[in-house]
Amino acid sequence: VSSRNILLLTLLTFLQASSNLNKLNESEFYRSYTRAIEFDYVTWTANAVERKARSISLDLPQYISSSSGKEIVNEYFTLIQTIDQIDGQIELLFADPAVEDPDSQSGTLKNTRNQLMNTLELISPVTETIIQQQTNEAIARLGLGFLGKPFPPVLYQVSSTPLELIISPRHIIRQDADISLQSDLTLEDIISLEKNVEAGMDISSIVVRTGGIGLYPTMIMRTSDLPWMLETICHEWAHNFLTLRPLGINYDTSPQLRTMNETAAGIVGKEISQSILTENYPEFLAGSPLIEDTTGTTPILPETEVFDFRKEMHLTRITVDEMLSEGKIEAAEEYMELRRAFFWENGY
């Protein structure tokens, strides 16, 4: 069984590598600006394959009960929450003008963080194996497998995900290219790249952080949000699933097919992740958080927010599309800048 899984892992890696190469060929025109700072998928994938091969050979699921698995997963996310809190404290020390020597004052926090990171590194492969197993079981329950088993099996690895340079024409909102960049670029580097690309080719561009990448194993951003992470893992698995089918093979054939692919992956990701939560983590299925009144007895729902993000974003998109269809490019860009400020003022 272990040998078959490792063989399948290698096959899917080559298929996904081929898909990524096709994407890069389409983006070749833009890469004169990014070659020196592009993400190294080959090295990342090779390391991930080696790590997953070791985990598969150990066959950990047969030694871990469902209750023990849940405890390990909860410990993993508690560790990440603690690390994130310490990172926030360190950032505050470096941002506070009143702190004269933030490097030394943050020494204890850094030491604690390093110890927690060492523990996280030890527990991560086990946690990933447990969540992979839970996801595989959910896929089988939903009838998406082949002969009762998911194909391909779910494999993911938490990692610092790359940044993505998104390219669009100015006259229409459309993704013409996306190029993966190193994950540690500074804000100054990002702004400079966007300005240079836009000035050099008269297009629109933006650099964004990715939550996951549909390689095999898939690459998932570290987070303390279990429901979000599960949905992202399932979303990226759906891309692996579609890679073996016409919709996935033709991902880059047109913007419409790309949208169809992403929409399908989004729907599948939500369905599978909800099944995982229902079976293993029902405490995360509650809707809006409840707030107790002053007596501490009657739970009430929080007040409805005045600002409706989805409504306002929909209005923005409709208005911009209409302006662009009339050839009013500069006016549309000015309108979007006004809307950006409006969203900022409302906490987004």
Side-chain angles (χ1 to χ4, degrees), residues 35-53:
R35 276 186 172 79
I37 54 173
E38 290 178 15
F39 190 86
D40 185 354
Y41 279 110
V42 174
T43 299
W44 187 92
T45 302
N47 292 336
V49 167
E50 180 185 2
R51 177 171 170 171
K52 290 303 171 184

Side-chain angles (χ1 to χ4, degrees), residues 299-310:
I300 58 174
L301 291 173
E303 293 183 7
T304 303
E305 293 184 2
V306 175
F307 182 80
D308 188 332
F309 174 85
R310 294 179 66 85

Side-chain angles (χ1 to χ4, degrees), residues 107-135:
T108 301
L109 288 172
K110 289 178 180 177
N111 288 337
T112 302
R113 184 189 186 280
N114 289 339
Q115 293 172 8
L116 293 175
M117 285 298 297
N118 289 336
T119 303
L120 188 67
E121 184 66 25
L122 291 174
I123 198 176
S124 289
V126 181
T127 304
E128 290 171 9
T129 299
I130 293 167
I131 291 178
Q132 287 166 183
Q133 179 69 15
Q134 293 170 345
T135 307

Side-chain angles (χ1 to χ4, degrees), residues 216-272:
Y216 197 77
T218 54
M219 183 192 304
I220 305 296
M221 181 179 73
R222 195 188 82 188
T223 177
S224 60
D225 187 338
L226 173 60
W228 180 90
M229 183 175 182
L230 290 175
E231 185 172 331
T232 305
I233 291 168
C234 298
H235 178 106
E236 298 304 336
W237 173 83
H239 283 306
N240 291 155
F241 178 85
L242 292 171
T243 296
L244 305 174
R245 291 160 176 82
L247 182 58
I249 293 171
N250 291 288
Y251 182 94
D252 289 309
T253 302
S254 71
Q256 291 80 10
L257 283 171
R258 184 183 297 121
T259 299
M260 291 170 62
N261 191 294
E262 291 294 344
T263 301
I267 294 171
V268 171
K270 289 181 184 297
E271 289 283 343
I272 300 173

Side-chain angles (χ1 to χ4, degrees), residues 331-344:
E333 291 174 344
E334 290 174 4
Y335 171 75
M336 282 189 281
E337 176 59 23
L338 290 174
R339 295 295 285 178
R340 186 187 70 81
F342 172 65
F343 279 101
W344 173 264

